[in-house]
Amino acid sequence: MREHTLQVNHLQIAFRTGNGLVQAVRDISFRLEKGRTLAIVGESGSGKSVTSRAIMGLLAPNAVVEGGEILYKGKDLLKMSEKELCKLRGDKIAMIFQDPMSALDPIMPIGKQIAEAMVINGKLSPADAKNKALRLMEEVGIRNAKSRYGKYPFEFSGGMRQRIVIAIALAADPEILICDEPTTALDVTIQAQILELINKLKEERHLSVIFITHDLGVVANVADDIAVMYAGKIVERGTAEDIFYDPRHPYTWALLTAMPDLETTGKLQAIPGAPPNMLHPPAGDAFAPRNPYAMEIDFEEQPPMFEISPTHAAATWLLHPNAPKVALPKALAARIERMGQIGG
Amino acid sequence: MLEVRHFTQVFGKFKAVDDISFSVKKGEVFGLVGESGCGKTTTGRAIVGLQPVTEGKILFAGKPIRKKHPTTQIQMIFQDPMASLDGRMTVREIIAEGLRIKGIKDRKILDEKVYEMMALVGLSREQASRYPHEFSGGQRQRIGIARALIMEPKLLIADEPVSALDVSIQAQVINLLQDLKEKLGLTVLFIAHDLSVVKYFSDRIGVMYMGKLVELAESEELFQNPLHPYTKSLLSAVPIPDPRREKNRVRIPYEPACSDPAAAFREVTPGRWVMS
Ligand SMILES: Nc1ncnc2c1ncn2[C@@H]1O[C@H](COP(=O)(O)OP(=O)(O)OP(=O)(O)O)[C@@H](O)[C@H]1O
Ligand SMILES: Nc1ncnc2c1ncn2[C@@H]1O[C@H](COP(=O)(O)OP(=O)(O)OP(=O)(O)O)[C@@H](O)[C@H]1O
Ligand SMILES: [Mg+2]
Ligand SMILES: [Mg+2]
């Protein structure tokens, strides 16, 4: 039986805006298992960042939590006081953002920035904190840590800075690491190094990782489990194998079909239409207007999560026992076939 | 169409671009890839005349680029859409601005053109009176594309036009550029991190490393048979959207030897250049 560290149940978050309430996260549930990486993928604006910020207790002031719970060790993070949350953030749950520069203080030496996190949160003396900071710098692959301890952020390249941000995040020995597009601004070689680092830390420290990205190559690299989001809902979840080789939701199909890989020729398959207006989310499956396989009921009633296997579920009426059998789109079937042949 | 000859760009004491030469043919998509900070954006900005060239020449249709009077035939899509759009202007004003500077004043003609461009990039005319912050990242990127294309450029510098977009919108933008290339014979300098997209879209690709061009080849050829060790390292780092293959991918690290003073950019077979 797998152990889970975090469980999100029926989370609902909206934002107050001049035009009314934007329904950003609409009843999502998932669990994060110990020592595994959950990748969250999906349409831009589907609620990925809002979900992760809710876990961190860092929602914008105009956010309204309309329901649900986020359980960590049996306690609901949404009911904790700011003080308790603050302790948890510095201690058990850490987050890495997309832009490493904005996460670092430009006028403080980087070694001090790493050590400071430990002096503030832990009971470490400044000398012990410095030693631990040096060890962390080595651990994230910054060579000659001693001579670089006193250097400033601008003296490091983008990839190095992101490693420093990771070192700061690890300073308090977190159990959960949340990464929101941590490599989008980096070139592929540096990206590969950062992914290797996160994978290594996950193994060595039994970290649980939530990894948000729109690059499906990156997902294939880091993910043990995947949640696919569309319009504030998780429309499909499963292991990486389930989602890449046996996708079931038409949105997941469209997503997998749209990405070019190194073998792609011919026209790319964009998804026609636009995502719904989240001021007035539709009654049925929000993807229905863009879904060539949509049935009448998709427009009328929200599909429940249909379980496909103990690890795999999707919210589409196509999985209802009475639904007509629909074959996978040809281009996607061919791609999965190709993947299966090379891999395996 | 475009000729870059021994282009060098120095900022203070720092050589951001160090003696690069390449040319782009009419109707061609030329991809420019390389490490972050290697000078790709700097090269693009020099071509549109946004900064004075330190050394070397950049020729467009045989004539040198002038900083004072940049030609409207070259347009650029900027890496960061939010930073490049004026937040106090409506989308209509942003897209029409270039034409207005060109001297077109008639509101009706301007509106017509703006709507036509918006439709082309998949925005609706109702959105014309909205401001940039009311759009998603992908829509903002398309505003930048409409603003560039309304000038009917002969040459488009597209600096990371898709990296902020999710895969579906990315596909829309690439398809649009592909169409324009086929219909209008648009020439494109395409700068991007995502090598799958670069390979898919470019005819030829130049690879930069620390301000220098280290390899130049036809797209297919470069991926089949990379010659420079940095190119090999770069290609081996591209993540594959297939978990079984991706988890077994072996990355080749690049450990640059001390720079060889005798190294030069040489043509090894016709049209195939490498730093050696
Ligand atoms: N402070 C806010 N006020 C109003 N709306 C907001 C606010 N923050 C987020 N939203 C809205 O909530 C929705 C979800 O946003 P979120 O940032 O989670 O998207 P995302 O899935 O991370 O997208 P991306 O891939 O573009 O980062 C979007 O429609 C967004 O416009
Ligand atoms: N105006 C400037 N003043 C000083 N240095 C600059 C200036 N513009 C760019 N640079 C430096 O020149 C180098 C090349 O920058 P450039 O933006 O061209 O890189 P790039 O290849 O586009 O990188 P990326 O992939 O990260 O966008 C960098 O080291 C950058 O810090
Ligand atoms: Mg986000
Ligand atoms: Mg750049």
Side-chain angles (χ1 to χ4, degrees):
Chain A
M1 172 88 190
R2 281 184 192 144
E3 201 184 330
H4 63 267
T5 44
L6 192 76
Q7 180 150 359
V8 173
N9 291 323
H10 305 292
L11 184 65
Q12 285 184 59
I13 297 166
F15 289 96
R16 277 192 220 94
T17 71
N19 300 322
L21 276 179
V22 172
Q23 309 289 331
V25 172
R26 303 187 297 146
D27 188 6
I28 70 169
S29 302
F30 64 88
R31 52 170 55 174
L32 178 64
E33 288 173 14
K34 192 161 175 51
R36 286 171 77 87
T37 298
L38 169 72
I40 305 183
V41 299
E43 190 95 353
S44 159
S46 60
K48 306 182 291 293
S49 297
V50 171
T51 301
S52 59
R53 299 187 77 93
I55 297 170
M56 288 296 286
L58 291 174
L59 286 170
N62 62 332
V64 190
V65 177
E66 298 197 305
E69 52 184 13
I70 302 175
L71 296 178
Y72 171 76
K73 299 215 163 125
K75 285 185 82 177
D76 186 355
L77 300 191
L78 294 171
K79 295 212 175 76
M80 279 189 186
S81 68
E82 181 52 34
K83 201 167 148 210
E84 283 174 290
L85 266 179
C86 208
K87 180 146 173 15
L88 207 64
R89 272 203 295 274
D91 206 18
K92 296 288 183 248
I93 308 178
M95 182 153 178
I96 306 170
F97 296 94
Q98 175 172 351
D99 176 10
M101 213 46 196
S102 65
L104 293 171
D105 183 341
I107 56 168
M108 193 196 279
I110 57 111
K112 203 163 165 217
Q113 297 194 40
I114 304 172
E116 185 161 82
M118 291 179 277
V119 179
I120 292 175
N121 294 304
K123 293 111 215 157
L124 285 188
S125 70
D128 288 343
K130 175 167 181 178
N131 279 331
K132 195 169 168 206
L134 286 169
R135 272 206 311 279
L136 276 172
M137 286 169 68
E138 303 274 359
E139 188 177 350
V140 298
I142 298 174
R143 269 167 274 164
N144 310 323
K146 272 216 174 81
S147 68
R148 287 173 140 157
Y149 190 85
K151 299 238 187 280
Y152 291 87
F154 73 88
E155 298 175 86
F156 292 84
S157 73
M160 284 289 188
R161 279 183 214 136
Q162 194 58 289
R163 284 164 193 256
I164 295 161
V165 173
I166 294 175
I168 294 174
L170 293 176
D173 296 317
E175 291 175 9
I176 297 171
L177 183 65
I178 303 177
C179 309
D180 193 352
E181 309 247 9
T183 60
T184 309
L186 305 175
D187 63 80
V188 286
T189 35
I190 296 170
Q191 168 174 283
Q193 292 167 24
I194 298 287
L195 299 184
E196 280 160 24
L197 173 63
I198 290 173
N199 286 337
K200 180 186 95 153
L201 294 169
K202 181 189 80 173
E203 296 286 327
E204 289 175 1
R205 293 173 167 244
H206 300 286
L207 270 179
S208 307
V209 182
I210 294 180
F211 199 107
I212 299 172
T213 174
H214 60 247
D215 184 330
L216 293 167
V218 171
V219 175
N221 183 295
V222 298
D224 299 301
D225 303 301
I226 299 174
V228 182
M229 286 190 71
Y230 187 82
K233 283 190 174 293
I234 293 179
V235 296
E236 183 161 4
R237 63 177 159 73
T239 62
E241 295 260 326
D242 293 334
I243 303 294
F244 274 94
Y245 305 124
D246 186 22
R248 298 299 183 97
H249 195 285
Y251 175 66
T252 314
W253 295 348
L255 197 66
L256 291 171
T257 315
M259 75 185 168
D261 63 13
L262 289 173
E263 279 105 37
T264 308
T265 50
K267 223 171 166 54
L268 297 179
Q269 306 268 325
I271 307 173
N277 179 348
M278 298 313 286
L279 284 168
H280 311 284
D285 180 351
F287 189 58
R290 308 171 75 184
N291 177 8
Y293 308 95
M295 301 172 288
E296 227 166 275
I297 186 166
D298 282 300
F299 290 90
E300 289 158 5
E301 198 177 325
Q302 174 61 43
M305 269 284 182
F306 289 95
E307 196 164 289
I308 300 145
S309 78
T311 58
H312 191 187
T316 164
W317 286 116
L318 289 178
L319 290 172
H320 190 274
N322 296 343
K325 289 277 159 289
V326 169
L328 219 55
K330 274 214 182 69
L332 183 58
R335 177 178 226 146
I336 291 174
E337 172 95 359
R338 205 165 65 203
M339 295 201 288
Q341 281 173 3
I342 306 166
Chain B
M1 184 95 191
L2 174 72
E3 242 195 286
V4 176
R5 281 194 208 151
H6 302 293
F7 165 58
T8 297
Q9 187 78 53
V10 179
F11 294 112
K13 283 189 180 146
F14 175 68
K15 239 185 208 176
V17 178
D18 185 3
D19 188 14
I20 66 168
S21 301
F22 62 92
S23 57
V24 184
K25 285 173 259 178
K26 187 171 178 339
E28 183 181 41
V29 177
F30 187 89
L32 204 52
V33 301
E35 205 183 22
S36 165
C38 69
K40 304 180 296 290
T41 298
T42 303
T43 304
R45 289 173 56 90
I47 294 170
V48 282
L50 282 172
Q51 73 213 359
V53 168
T54 314
E55 249 174 77
K57 266 207 182 82
I58 297 175
L59 303 177
F60 172 68
K63 295 199 190 75
I65 303 284
R66 284 179 307 170
K67 181 167 179 279
K68 278 272 164 57
H69 303 283
T71 166
T72 57
Q73 296 184 347
I74 311 179
Q75 291 293 321
M76 182 154 177
I77 300 170
F78 293 90
Q79 190 162 4
D80 177 354
M82 202 49 193
S84 71
L85 301 175
D86 186 338
R88 291 156 304 179
M89 286 165 79
T90 63
V91 167
R92 179 200 318 277
E93 289 162 352
I94 291 172
I95 298 175
E97 196 185 17
L99 288 183
R100 210 173 288 117
I101 291 170
K102 238 177 158 180
I104 301 175
K105 294 262 145 58
D106 188 328
R107 173 79 196 248
K108 234 172 133 194
I109 297 179
L110 284 175
D111 276 354
E112 202 98 317
K113 244 357 238 171
V114 167
Y115 295 148
E116 189 189 322
M117 276 303 137
M118 289 183 74
L120 196 63
V121 298
L123 296 169
S124 68
R125 63 167 67 192
E126 290 76 42
Q127 292 170 318
S129 44
R130 294 217 248 146
Y131 292 88
H133 71 264
E134 298 174 80
F135 289 87
S136 78
Q139 289 167 329
R140 276 181 217 146
Q141 191 61 275
R142 284 181 273 172
I143 298 168
I145 294 170
R147 174 178 66 177
L149 294 178
I150 201 168
M151 303 304 287
E152 299 179 1
K154 298 261 160 54
L155 173 65
L156 182 69
I157 315 291
D159 190 2
E160 299 278 1
V162 295
S163 56
L165 310 181
D166 64 65
V167 280
S168 164
I169 302 170
Q170 191 174 317
Q172 275 177 43
V173 170
I174 297 288
N175 286 341
L176 170 70
L177 292 176
Q178 191 90 304
D179 280 353
L180 293 170
K181 177 188 153 188
E182 278 157 23
K183 281 188 207 137
L184 310 174
L186 185 69
T187 308
V188 186
L189 181 71
F190 187 75
I191 303 173
H193 278 141
D194 184 337
L195 288 151
S196 313
V197 175
V198 176
K199 172 169 191 260
Y200 170 77
F201 189 46
S202 308
D203 300 306
R204 286 187 306 147
I205 296 174
V207 182
M208 285 181 76
Y209 183 74
M210 291 188 48
K212 287 191 159 68
L213 212 46
V214 296
E215 186 157 1
L216 195 165
E218 301 242 331
S219 174
E220 198 63 39
E221 172 71 18
L222 186 84
F223 279 81
Q224 290 295 326
N225 183 23
L227 295 177
H228 194 276
Y230 176 68
T231 314
K232 287 183 188 167
S233 169
L234 191 69
L235 296 187
S236 75
V238 180
I240 310 160
D242 176 349
R244 287 179 206 154
R245 263 206 288 168
E246 175 60 17
K247 290 193 166 121
N248 295 312
R249 177 170 56 82
V250 179
R251 186 164 66 83
I252 310 167
Y254 177 50
E255 309 278 357
C258 290
S259 77
D260 175 2
F265 204 46
R266 300 173 213 274
E267 190 164 24
V268 287
T269 52
R272 184 112 167 68
W273 294 72
V274 65
M275 177 72 73
S276 56

